[in-house]
Amino acid sequence: MSTSLSRRRVLRGMISGVPLAIALPRLNAMLDGNGVAYASGKPLPRRFGVWAFANGVHLDRWVPKETGTAWELPDELTPLAAIRPHVSVVSGMDLPFGGRPHASGNTVLMTSANLKGVNDNTYTARRPSIDQLVADEIGRDTPLRSIEIGVDDGAPPEKGTAFHWWSHNGPNSPNPCSYDCREVFARLFRGGVVGDVDAVAAAEREQRSILDAVLVDARALQGGLGLEDRRRVDQHMDGIRAIERRIVRRKQIVCTAPEISDDLLIGPTNGIDYEPRGTRVNQVMAELLAMALSCDLTRVFTYQLAKPGSRIGVNRLGFRRYHDITHGEPGDQPMCTSAVKFFLEELVVLVKALERVPEGGGTLLDNCAMLAAPDCTNPKAHGHKDFPMIVVGHGGGKIRTGVHHRGKGENACAVLLSLARTTGAKVPTFGEGTGQISAGLPAIEV
C-alpha cells in the first residue's frame, strides 16, 4: 500500500553545493482513488498546444470526402492512420482576414485579428496570440508559463516577426522557438532548480549526470511507493538519462553513449537537408516536450516543425528548398504532396511520445488539446480560404476525436477557442474587429 504523495513532490539533491530539484511525473500516489484527480481533489492539468508546418496542402488530397465518423483518409493524410483515433479533421472554415501569404495565415489564425505593419519588414501580430491568453490563465503556477520549440530553421527572407513565429505577446514581441535540444534540456531542468545557480552547468563541469544528485532521494521515495509507481519513477529517470546522454557531451559518463556531432542536436537551417538532423532533433524535442508536460513544468506549447514560408529542404524527396517547389511546375506538384506526408509523419512522432506517457487512468495525450496546421492553404496560391486544420488529443474528455467536420466558411479561429477552453482558461472572446468571436466550434466539443 503506497503512501499519499503531494503533487508538488520533487527529487532533491546537490551538485557542487548547488541545490537541484527534479520534477516527478504524475504518480498514482498523488491521485484520488479513481485516478482522475489529485488526492487533494484538484483535477489533473490539461494542456494546450499548436503544432505548425509550412507552405500549405492540396485540398483535393487533404480533405476527406465523407463527414462525420465514417471518413476515409485521403492521400495527404495517410500518415495519420497510426493516430487516427486521436484526431479530428476540420475543413471548410476560413480565416477572417487575408493579406500577405504565410504571415497572415499563421498570425491571423493565432490572433483572429489582421496583421499589423506596412511591409514585409514590419508585419507582426496585432495582439497576443491565443497560446499566451491560455498561458495567462493556466501557466502561472508552472516553472515555464509556455514553451516554444522549433525543429527546422529554414527561415524566409522577410524580417517581420509574423513571418517567423506563431506565438506573440503582442506587436513586435514574438516568442521565438529554440532549435537546440541541449538548450531546451537545460531550460527544463533549470525550471526545477532551487535557487539561481545553473545546476545543469555544474553537472556538466563535473562530467556527471544530473540524476547522480538525486539518487538518494529517489531511493527513499520509492521505498514508500506501490509497484506501479516505483516502475514509473524508474522509467522517468531512465528517460531523463537517455535524453541526457544523447545531448550532453562528456569525456566520461556513467551510461556510455556514442559521441555525436553538435550539429545533430540543432535543427537545420536554409539549404541544409532536413535529414538526418531534423529527424533526430524532432524525436528528441518530442521526448523533451512530453517530459515537460508530464512533470507539469509547463502546460502551454508551440511546436514549429517549420517556419512560415519555410525554405526547408528534404533531398530524398527531390528538393533543396521546399518553398521554391511550391511555386513550380507541374501544376499538381507531386513533390509537395510527398512533403506534406513527410511533415505529418513527424507529427506522429510527437503524438506517439505523448501517448506513451501514462497519466491517471489514461495517457498524457488524453489531457492535451492541440491544433496542427500549416501557414496557408494551397502550396502554389498560398491562400487563406478552407483553411486546413487537424485537432489532436482529447482535451481531458472535452474534445471529440475521430470526426471530420466540414464548415461553411465560418471563422477558422473558433477551433482554437474551443481547444483553449478545454484547459479551463477563461477566454470569453477572441480576436478583434470583424474577427472577434465568443463561440468555439460545437462540432468538436463534448
PDB file of all heavy atoms in Angstrom, residues 241-275:
ATOM      1  N   ARG A 241      17.862  10.116 -18.326  1.00  0.00           N
ATOM      2  CA  ARG A 241      19.244   9.722 -18.598  1.00  0.00           C
ATOM      3  C   ARG A 241      19.456   9.440 -20.089  1.00  0.00           C
ATOM      4  O   ARG A 241      20.490   9.789 -20.660  1.00  0.00           O
ATOM      5  CB  ARG A 241      19.618   8.486 -17.773  1.00  0.00           C
ATOM      6  CG  ARG A 241      21.122   8.244 -17.740  1.00  0.00           C
ATOM      7  CD  ARG A 241      21.463   7.006 -16.921  1.00  0.00           C
ATOM      8  NE  ARG A 241      21.143   7.131 -15.523  1.00  0.00           N
ATOM      9  CZ  ARG A 241      21.932   7.699 -14.615  1.00  0.00           C
ATOM     10  NH1 ARG A 241      23.072   8.240 -14.998  1.00  0.00           N
ATOM     11  NH2 ARG A 241      21.590   7.741 -13.350  1.00  0.00           N
ATOM     12  N   ALA A 242      18.449   8.834 -20.729  1.00  0.00           N
ATOM     13  CA  ALA A 242      18.575   8.533 -22.161  1.00  0.00           C
ATOM     14  C   ALA A 242      18.678   9.808 -22.988  1.00  0.00           C
ATOM     15  O   ALA A 242      19.490   9.904 -23.914  1.00  0.00           O
ATOM     16  CB  ALA A 242      17.380   7.691 -22.620  1.00  0.00           C
ATOM     17  N   ILE A 243      17.847  10.794 -22.645  1.00  0.00           N
ATOM     18  CA  ILE A 243      17.917  12.065 -23.371  1.00  0.00           C
ATOM     19  C   ILE A 243      19.232  12.775 -23.058  1.00  0.00           C
ATOM     20  O   ILE A 243      19.908  13.290 -23.941  1.00  0.00           O
ATOM     21  CB  ILE A 243      16.730  12.972 -22.997  1.00  0.00           C
ATOM     22  CG1 ILE A 243      15.410  12.344 -23.468  1.00  0.00           C
ATOM     23  CG2 ILE A 243      16.894  14.360 -23.603  1.00  0.00           C
ATOM     24  CD1 ILE A 243      14.179  13.083 -22.997  1.00  0.00           C
ATOM     25  N   GLU A 244      19.594  12.766 -21.788  1.00  0.00           N
ATOM     26  CA  GLU A 244      20.796  13.467 -21.358  1.00  0.00           C
ATOM     27  C   GLU A 244      22.031  12.925 -22.062  1.00  0.00           C
ATOM     28  O   GLU A 244      22.879  13.685 -22.538  1.00  0.00           O
ATOM     29  CB  GLU A 244      20.942  13.324 -19.842  1.00  0.00           C
ATOM     30  CG  GLU A 244      22.101  14.107 -19.255  1.00  0.00           C
ATOM     31  CD  GLU A 244      22.222  13.874 -17.760  1.00  0.00           C
ATOM     32  OE1 GLU A 244      21.959  12.745 -17.308  1.00  0.00           O
ATOM     33  OE2 GLU A 244      22.596  14.815 -17.058  1.00  0.00           O
ATOM     34  N   ARG A 245      22.155  11.625 -22.162  1.00  0.00           N
ATOM     35  CA  ARG A 245      23.367  11.075 -22.762  1.00  0.00           C
ATOM     36  C   ARG A 245      23.416  11.302 -24.269  1.00  0.00           C
ATOM     37  O   ARG A 245      24.471  11.236 -24.880  1.00  0.00           O
ATOM     38  CB  ARG A 245      23.508   9.594 -22.419  1.00  0.00           C
ATOM     39  CG  ARG A 245      22.545   8.665 -23.096  1.00  0.00           C
ATOM     40  CD  ARG A 245      22.913   7.213 -22.734  1.00  0.00           C
ATOM     41  NE  ARG A 245      22.033   6.277 -23.390  1.00  0.00           N
ATOM     42  CZ  ARG A 245      21.338   5.340 -22.767  1.00  0.00           C
ATOM     43  NH1 ARG A 245      21.404   5.246 -21.454  1.00  0.00           N
ATOM     44  NH2 ARG A 245      20.572   4.506 -23.434  1.00  0.00           N
ATOM     45  N   ARG A 246      22.258  11.594 -24.869  1.00  0.00           N
ATOM     46  CA  ARG A 246      22.257  11.915 -26.293  1.00  0.00           C
ATOM     47  C   ARG A 246      22.672  13.359 -26.553  1.00  0.00           C
ATOM     48  O   ARG A 246      23.193  13.674 -27.617  1.00  0.00           O
ATOM     49  CB  ARG A 246      20.865  11.685 -26.888  1.00  0.00           C
ATOM     50  CG  ARG A 246      20.661  10.272 -27.381  1.00  0.00           C
ATOM     51  CD  ARG A 246      19.337  10.138 -28.083  1.00  0.00           C
ATOM     52  NE  ARG A 246      18.224  10.075 -27.146  1.00  0.00           N
ATOM     53  CZ  ARG A 246      16.960  10.115 -27.505  1.00  0.00           C
ATOM     54  NH1 ARG A 246      16.627  10.240 -28.765  1.00  0.00           N
ATOM     55  NH2 ARG A 246      15.987  10.030 -26.614  1.00  0.00           N
ATOM     56  N   ILE A 247      22.391  14.250 -25.591  1.00  0.00           N
ATOM     57  CA  ILE A 247      22.575  15.673 -25.895  1.00  0.00           C
ATOM     58  C   ILE A 247      23.639  16.366 -25.075  1.00  0.00           C
ATOM     59  O   ILE A 247      23.987  17.496 -25.376  1.00  0.00           O
ATOM     60  CB  ILE A 247      21.248  16.440 -25.729  1.00  0.00           C
ATOM     61  CG1 ILE A 247      20.814  16.483 -24.271  1.00  0.00           C
ATOM     62  CG2 ILE A 247      20.166  15.856 -26.587  1.00  0.00           C
ATOM     63  CD1 ILE A 247      19.561  17.289 -24.054  1.00  0.00           C
ATOM     64  N   VAL A 248      24.190  15.690 -24.049  1.00  0.00           N
ATOM     65  CA  VAL A 248      25.235  16.301 -23.230  1.00  0.00           C
ATOM     66  C   VAL A 248      26.554  15.607 -23.534  1.00  0.00           C
ATOM     67  O   VAL A 248      26.668  14.402 -23.373  1.00  0.00           O
ATOM     68  CB  VAL A 248      24.915  16.190 -21.721  1.00  0.00           C
ATOM     69  CG1 VAL A 248      26.050  16.794 -20.908  1.00  0.00           C
ATOM     70  CG2 VAL A 248      23.599  16.885 -21.412  1.00  0.00           C
ATOM     71  N   ARG A 249      27.527  16.375 -23.994  1.00  0.00           N
ATOM     72  CA  ARG A 249      28.814  15.804 -24.363  1.00  0.00           C
ATOM     73  C   ARG A 249      29.729  15.760 -23.147  1.00  0.00           C
ATOM     74  O   ARG A 249      29.957  16.759 -22.483  1.00  0.00           O
ATOM     75  CB  ARG A 249      29.460  16.629 -25.479  1.00  0.00           C
ATOM     76  CG  ARG A 249      28.640  16.679 -26.734  1.00  0.00           C
ATOM     77  CD  ARG A 249      29.379  17.390 -27.842  1.00  0.00           C
ATOM     78  NE  ARG A 249      30.530  16.624 -28.268  1.00  0.00           N
ATOM     79  CZ  ARG A 249      31.360  17.024 -29.234  1.00  0.00           C
ATOM     80  NH1 ARG A 249      31.164  18.177 -29.823  1.00  0.00           N
ATOM     81  NH2 ARG A 249      32.388  16.291 -29.579  1.00  0.00           N
ATOM     82  N   ARG A 250      30.287  14.584 -22.852  1.00  0.00           N
ATOM     83  CA  ARG A 250      31.227  14.427 -21.755  1.00  0.00           C
ATOM     84  C   ARG A 250      32.352  13.477 -22.177  1.00  0.00           C
ATOM     85  O   ARG A 250      32.142  12.597 -23.009  1.00  0.00           O
ATOM     86  CB  ARG A 250      30.534  13.835 -20.515  1.00  0.00           C
ATOM     87  CG  ARG A 250      29.411  14.681 -19.961  1.00  0.00           C
ATOM     88  CD  ARG A 250      28.972  14.095 -18.624  1.00  0.00           C
ATOM     89  NE  ARG A 250      27.938  14.909 -18.038  1.00  0.00           N
ATOM     90  CZ  ARG A 250      26.639  14.690 -18.216  1.00  0.00           C
ATOM     91  NH1 ARG A 250      26.242  13.705 -18.967  1.00  0.00           N
ATOM     92  NH2 ARG A 250      25.751  15.468 -17.655  1.00  0.00           N
ATOM     93  N   LYS A 251      33.498  13.664 -21.552  1.00  0.00           N
ATOM     94  CA  LYS A 251      34.587  12.717 -21.805  1.00  0.00           C
ATOM     95  C   LYS A 251      34.294  11.396 -21.097  1.00  0.00           C
ATOM     96  O   LYS A 251      34.683  10.332 -21.545  1.00  0.00           O
ATOM     97  CB  LYS A 251      35.914  13.298 -21.319  1.00  0.00           C
ATOM     98  CG  LYS A 251      36.343  14.532 -22.111  1.00  0.00           C
ATOM     99  CD  LYS A 251      37.641  15.091 -21.574  1.00  0.00           C
ATOM    100  CE  LYS A 251      38.053  16.338 -22.341  1.00  0.00           C
ATOM    101  NZ  LYS A 251      39.291  16.942 -21.794  1.00  0.00           N
ATOM    102  N   GLN A 252      33.656  11.480 -19.954  1.00  0.00           N
ATOM    103  CA  GLN A 252      33.281  10.288 -19.206  1.00  0.00           C
ATOM    104  C   GLN A 252      31.820  10.431 -18.820  1.00  0.00           C
ATOM    105  O   GLN A 252      31.350  11.512 -18.481  1.00  0.00           O
ATOM    106  CB  GLN A 252      34.122  10.136 -17.935  1.00  0.00           C
ATOM    107  CG  GLN A 252      35.604   9.956 -18.217  1.00  0.00           C
ATOM    108  CD  GLN A 252      36.394   9.918 -16.927  1.00  0.00           C
ATOM    109  OE1 GLN A 252      35.909  10.292 -15.871  1.00  0.00           O
ATOM    110  NE2 GLN A 252      37.627   9.444 -17.020  1.00  0.00           N
ATOM    111  N   ILE A 253      31.113   9.330 -18.867  1.00  0.00           N
ATOM    112  CA  ILE A 253      29.706   9.361 -18.482  1.00  0.00           C
ATOM    113  C   ILE A 253      29.327   7.982 -17.968  1.00  0.00           C
ATOM    114  O   ILE A 253      29.823   6.957 -18.458  1.00  0.00           O
ATOM    115  CB  ILE A 253      28.813   9.769 -19.679  1.00  0.00           C
ATOM    116  CG1 ILE A 253      27.366  10.000 -19.227  1.00  0.00           C
ATOM    117  CG2 ILE A 253      28.864   8.783 -20.809  1.00  0.00           C
ATOM    118  CD1 ILE A 253      26.498  10.688 -20.264  1.00  0.00           C
ATOM    119  N   VAL A 254      28.510   7.941 -16.961  1.00  0.00           N
ATOM    120  CA  VAL A 254      28.155   6.659 -16.353  1.00  0.00           C
ATOM    121  C   VAL A 254      27.508   5.744 -17.383  1.00  0.00           C
ATOM    122  O   VAL A 254      27.856   4.573 -17.524  1.00  0.00           O
ATOM    123  CB  VAL A 254      27.210   6.889 -15.156  1.00  0.00           C
ATOM    124  CG1 VAL A 254      26.755   5.548 -14.594  1.00  0.00           C
ATOM    125  CG2 VAL A 254      27.924   7.691 -14.074  1.00  0.00           C
ATOM    126  N   CYS A 255      26.523   6.267 -18.111  1.00  0.00           N
ATOM    127  CA  CYS A 255      25.886   5.494 -19.177  1.00  0.00           C
ATOM    128  C   CYS A 255      26.577   5.863 -20.483  1.00  0.00           C
ATOM    129  O   CYS A 255      26.261   6.877 -21.092  1.00  0.00           O
ATOM    130  CB  CYS A 255      24.396   5.803 -19.266  1.00  0.00           C
ATOM    131  SG  CYS A 255      23.476   5.316 -17.799  1.00  0.00           S
ATOM    132  N   THR A 256      27.550   5.092 -20.893  1.00  0.00           N
ATOM    133  CA  THR A 256      28.346   5.430 -22.059  1.00  0.00           C
ATOM    134  C   THR A 256      27.483   5.450 -23.311  1.00  0.00           C
ATOM    135  O   THR A 256      26.688   4.545 -23.551  1.00  0.00           O
ATOM    136  CB  THR A 256      29.482   4.410 -22.239  1.00  0.00           C
ATOM    137  OG1 THR A 256      30.260   4.388 -21.052  1.00  0.00           O
ATOM    138  CG2 THR A 256      30.370   4.805 -23.419  1.00  0.00           C
ATOM    139  N   ALA A 257      27.642   6.484 -24.105  1.00  0.00           N
ATOM    140  CA  ALA A 257      26.902   6.609 -25.357  1.00  0.00           C
ATOM    141  C   ALA A 257      27.872   7.036 -26.449  1.00  0.00           C
ATOM    142  O   ALA A 257      28.900   7.650 -26.176  1.00  0.00           O
ATOM    143  CB  ALA A 257      25.794   7.664 -25.225  1.00  0.00           C
ATOM    144  N   PRO A 258      27.589   6.682 -27.702  1.00  0.00           N
ATOM    145  CA  PRO A 258      28.479   7.098 -28.789  1.00  0.00           C
ATOM    146  C   PRO A 258      28.506   8.615 -28.918  1.00  0.00           C
ATOM    147  O   PRO A 258      27.499   9.287 -28.708  1.00  0.00           O
ATOM    148  CB  PRO A 258      27.837   6.439 -30.020  1.00  0.00           C
ATOM    149  CG  PRO A 258      26.415   6.210 -29.644  1.00  0.00           C
ATOM    150  CD  PRO A 258      26.426   5.922 -28.177  1.00  0.00           C
ATOM    151  N   GLU A 259      29.671   9.145 -29.258  1.00  0.00           N
ATOM    152  CA  GLU A 259      29.805  10.584 -29.463  1.00  0.00           C
ATOM    153  C   GLU A 259      29.005  10.997 -30.690  1.00  0.00           C
ATOM    154  O   GLU A 259      29.016  10.315 -31.718  1.00  0.00           O
ATOM    155  CB  GLU A 259      31.278  10.941 -29.669  1.00  0.00           C
ATOM    156  CG  GLU A 259      31.572  12.421 -29.597  1.00  0.00           C
ATOM    157  CD  GLU A 259      31.669  12.915 -28.164  1.00  0.00           C
ATOM    158  OE1 GLU A 259      31.518  12.101 -27.242  1.00  0.00           O
ATOM    159  OE2 GLU A 259      31.871  14.118 -27.984  1.00  0.00           O
ATOM    160  N   ILE A 260      28.285  12.097 -30.602  1.00  0.00           N
ATOM    161  CA  ILE A 260      27.531  12.585 -31.749  1.00  0.00           C
ATOM    162  C   ILE A 260      27.905  14.032 -32.016  1.00  0.00           C
ATOM    163  O   ILE A 260      28.345  14.746 -31.126  1.00  0.00           O
ATOM    164  CB  ILE A 260      26.000  12.462 -31.546  1.00  0.00           C
ATOM    165  CG1 ILE A 260      25.543  13.308 -30.361  1.00  0.00           C
ATOM    166  CG2 ILE A 260      25.573  11.039 -31.375  1.00  0.00           C
ATOM    167  CD1 ILE A 260      24.036  13.348 -30.200  1.00  0.00           C
ATOM    168  N   SER A 261      27.741  14.422 -33.236  1.00  0.00           N
ATOM    169  CA  SER A 261      28.090  15.787 -33.628  1.00  0.00           C
ATOM    170  C   SER A 261      27.147  16.790 -32.986  1.00  0.00           C
ATOM    171  O   SER A 261      25.946  16.548 -32.870  1.00  0.00           O
ATOM    172  CB  SER A 261      28.012  15.909 -35.149  1.00  0.00           C
ATOM    173  OG  SER A 261      28.012  17.255 -35.544  1.00  0.00           O
ATOM    174  N   ASP A 262      27.688  17.938 -32.589  1.00  0.00           N
ATOM    175  CA  ASP A 262      26.851  19.013 -32.069  1.00  0.00           C
ATOM    176  C   ASP A 262      25.777  19.398 -33.071  1.00  0.00           C
ATOM    177  O   ASP A 262      24.666  19.768 -32.713  1.00  0.00           O
ATOM    178  CB  ASP A 262      27.702  20.249 -31.756  1.00  0.00           C
ATOM    179  CG  ASP A 262      28.447  20.110 -30.434  1.00  0.00           C
ATOM    180  OD1 ASP A 262      28.241  19.094 -29.755  1.00  0.00           O
ATOM    181  OD2 ASP A 262      29.235  21.001 -30.099  1.00  0.00           O
ATOM    182  N   ASP A 263      26.130  19.339 -34.363  1.00  0.00           N
ATOM    183  CA  ASP A 263      25.184  19.752 -35.400  1.00  0.00           C
ATOM    184  C   ASP A 263      23.897  18.945 -35.352  1.00  0.00           C
ATOM    185  O   ASP A 263      22.830  19.428 -35.728  1.00  0.00           O
ATOM    186  CB  ASP A 263      25.809  19.605 -36.791  1.00  0.00           C
ATOM    187  CG  ASP A 263      26.892  20.641 -37.042  1.00  0.00           C
ATOM    188  OD1 ASP A 263      26.944  21.627 -36.281  1.00  0.00           O
ATOM    189  OD2 ASP A 263      27.672  20.454 -37.983  1.00  0.00           O
ATOM    190  N   LEU A 264      23.989  17.688 -34.921  1.00  0.00           N
ATOM    191  CA  LEU A 264      22.814  16.828 -34.930  1.00  0.00           C
ATOM    192  C   LEU A 264      21.857  17.130 -33.784  1.00  0.00           C
ATOM    193  O   LEU A 264      20.822  16.495 -33.659  1.00  0.00           O
ATOM    194  CB  LEU A 264      23.237  15.363 -34.889  1.00  0.00           C
ATOM    195  CG  LEU A 264      23.988  14.871 -36.138  1.00  0.00           C
ATOM    196  CD1 LEU A 264      24.358  13.408 -35.987  1.00  0.00           C
ATOM    197  CD2 LEU A 264      23.166  15.077 -37.399  1.00  0.00           C
ATOM    198  N   LEU A 265      22.203  18.113 -32.961  1.00  0.00           N
ATOM    199  CA  LEU A 265      21.347  18.481 -31.843  1.00  0.00           C
ATOM    200  C   LEU A 265      20.611  19.787 -32.101  1.00  0.00           C
ATOM    201  O   LEU A 265      19.812  20.222 -31.296  1.00  0.00           O
ATOM    202  CB  LEU A 265      22.183  18.615 -30.563  1.00  0.00           C
ATOM    203  CG  LEU A 265      22.960  17.363 -30.163  1.00  0.00           C
ATOM    204  CD1 LEU A 265      23.937  17.688 -29.051  1.00  0.00           C
ATOM    205  CD2 LEU A 265      22.022  16.258 -29.752  1.00  0.00           C
ATOM    206  N   ILE A 266      20.923  20.436 -33.210  1.00  0.00           N
ATOM    207  CA  ILE A 266      20.320  21.725 -33.548  1.00  0.00           C
ATOM    208  C   ILE A 266      19.648  21.605 -34.898  1.00  0.00           C
ATOM    209  O   ILE A 266      20.227  21.077 -35.849  1.00  0.00           O
ATOM    210  CB  ILE A 266      21.385  22.844 -33.594  1.00  0.00           C
ATOM    211  CG1 ILE A 266      22.161  22.896 -32.270  1.00  0.00           C
ATOM    212  CG2 ILE A 266      20.744  24.185 -33.884  1.00  0.00           C
ATOM    213  CD1 ILE A 266      23.326  23.858 -32.287  1.00  0.00           C
ATOM    214  N   GLY A 267      18.426  22.085 -34.996  1.00  0.00           N
ATOM    215  CA  GLY A 267      17.671  21.969 -36.234  1.00  0.00           C
ATOM    216  C   GLY A 267      18.382  22.585 -37.425  1.00  0.00           C
ATOM    217  O   GLY A 267      19.112  23.572 -37.288  1.00  0.00           O
ATOM    218  N   PRO A 268      18.191  22.018 -38.621  1.00  0.00           N
ATOM    219  CA  PRO A 268      18.843  22.538 -39.823  1.00  0.00           C
ATOM    220  C   PRO A 268      18.346  23.919 -40.214  1.00  0.00           C
ATOM    221  O   PRO A 268      17.249  24.332 -39.856  1.00  0.00           O
ATOM    222  CB  PRO A 268      18.491  21.491 -40.891  1.00  0.00           C
ATOM    223  CG  PRO A 268      17.263  20.809 -40.379  1.00  0.00           C
ATOM    224  CD  PRO A 268      17.366  20.840 -38.890  1.00  0.00           C
ATOM    225  N   THR A 269      19.167  24.636 -40.971  1.00  0.00           N
ATOM    226  CA  THR A 269      18.816  25.961 -41.452  1.00  0.00           C
ATOM    227  C   THR A 269      18.699  25.926 -42.975  1.00  0.00           C
ATOM    228  O   THR A 269      18.679  24.852 -43.578  1.00  0.00           O
ATOM    229  CB  THR A 269      19.868  26.993 -41.021  1.00  0.00           C
ATOM    230  OG1 THR A 269      21.156  26.559 -41.475  1.00  0.00           O
ATOM    231  CG2 THR A 269      19.903  27.139 -39.513  1.00  0.00           C
ATOM    232  N   ASN A 270      18.642  27.081 -43.593  1.00  0.00           N
ATOM    233  CA  ASN A 270      18.444  27.166 -45.041  1.00  0.00           C
ATOM    234  C   ASN A 270      19.470  26.354 -45.813  1.00  0.00           C
ATOM    235  O   ASN A 270      20.666  26.450 -45.557  1.00  0.00           O
ATOM    236  CB  ASN A 270      18.536  28.620 -45.500  1.00  0.00           C
ATOM    237  CG  ASN A 270      17.344  29.428 -45.054  1.00  0.00           C
ATOM    238  OD1 ASN A 270      16.329  28.878 -44.651  1.00  0.00           O
ATOM    239  ND2 ASN A 270      17.454  30.743 -45.124  1.00  0.00           N
ATOM    240  N   GLY A 271      18.977  25.572 -46.764  1.00  0.00           N
ATOM    241  CA  GLY A 271      19.857  24.843 -47.668  1.00  0.00           C
ATOM    242  C   GLY A 271      20.449  23.580 -47.093  1.00  0.00           C
ATOM    243  O   GLY A 271      21.172  22.872 -47.792  1.00  0.00           O
ATOM    244  N   ILE A 272      20.173  23.284 -45.824  1.00  0.00           N
ATOM    245  CA  ILE A 272      20.686  22.056 -45.214  1.00  0.00           C
ATOM    246  C   ILE A 272      19.593  20.999 -45.235  1.00  0.00           C
ATOM    247  O   ILE A 272      18.464  21.253 -44.841  1.00  0.00           O
ATOM    248  CB  ILE A 272      21.150  22.307 -43.765  1.00  0.00           C
ATOM    249  CG1 ILE A 272      22.290  23.328 -43.750  1.00  0.00           C
ATOM    250  CG2 ILE A 272      21.594  21.016 -43.110  1.00  0.00           C
ATOM    251  CD1 ILE A 272      22.779  23.683 -42.374  1.00  0.00           C
ATOM    252  N   ASP A 273      19.945  19.818 -45.693  1.00  0.00           N
ATOM    253  CA  ASP A 273      18.981  18.734 -45.780  1.00  0.00           C
ATOM    254  C   ASP A 273      18.367  18.460 -44.400  1.00  0.00           C
ATOM    255  O   ASP A 273      19.094  18.361 -43.398  1.00  0.00           O
ATOM    256  CB  ASP A 273      19.679  17.480 -46.311  1.00  0.00           C
ATOM    257  CG  ASP A 273      18.720  16.331 -46.576  1.00  0.00           C
ATOM    258  OD1 ASP A 273      17.493  16.561 -46.579  1.00  0.00           O
ATOM    259  OD2 ASP A 273      19.198  15.198 -46.782  1.00  0.00           O
ATOM    260  N   TYR A 274      17.046  18.318 -44.346  1.00  0.00           N
ATOM    261  CA  TYR A 274      16.347  18.057 -43.084  1.00  0.00           C
ATOM    262  C   TYR A 274      16.858  16.780 -42.424  1.00  0.00           C
ATOM    263  O   TYR A 274      16.905  16.682 -41.199  1.00  0.00           O
ATOM    264  CB  TYR A 274      14.848  17.947 -43.348  1.00  0.00           C
ATOM    265  CG  TYR A 274      14.012  17.752 -42.098  1.00  0.00           C
ATOM    266  CD1 TYR A 274      13.576  18.839 -41.353  1.00  0.00           C
ATOM    267  CD2 TYR A 274      13.661  16.478 -41.661  1.00  0.00           C
ATOM    268  CE1 TYR A 274      12.815  18.663 -40.213  1.00  0.00           C
ATOM    269  CE2 TYR A 274      12.900  16.291 -40.525  1.00  0.00           C
ATOM    270  CZ  TYR A 274      12.472  17.384 -39.803  1.00  0.00           C
ATOM    271  OH  TYR A 274      11.721  17.199 -38.671  1.00  0.00           O
ATOM    272  N   GLU A 275      17.206  15.816 -43.231  1.00  0.00           N
ATOM    273  CA  GLU A 275      17.666  14.533 -42.695  1.00  0.00           C
ATOM    274  C   GLU A 275      19.199  14.447 -42.762  1.00  0.00           C
ATOM    275  O   GLU A 275      19.800  14.882 -43.755  1.00  0.00           O
ATOM    276  CB  GLU A 275      17.050  13.383 -43.494  1.00  0.00           C
ATOM    277  CG  GLU A 275      15.536  13.377 -43.451  1.00  0.00           C
ATOM    278  CD  GLU A 275      14.930  12.365 -44.398  1.00  0.00           C
ATOM    279  OE1 GLU A 275      15.354  12.318 -45.575  1.00  0.00           O
ATOM    280  OE2 GLU A 275      14.044  11.629 -43.975  1.00  0.00           O
TER     281      GLU A 275
END
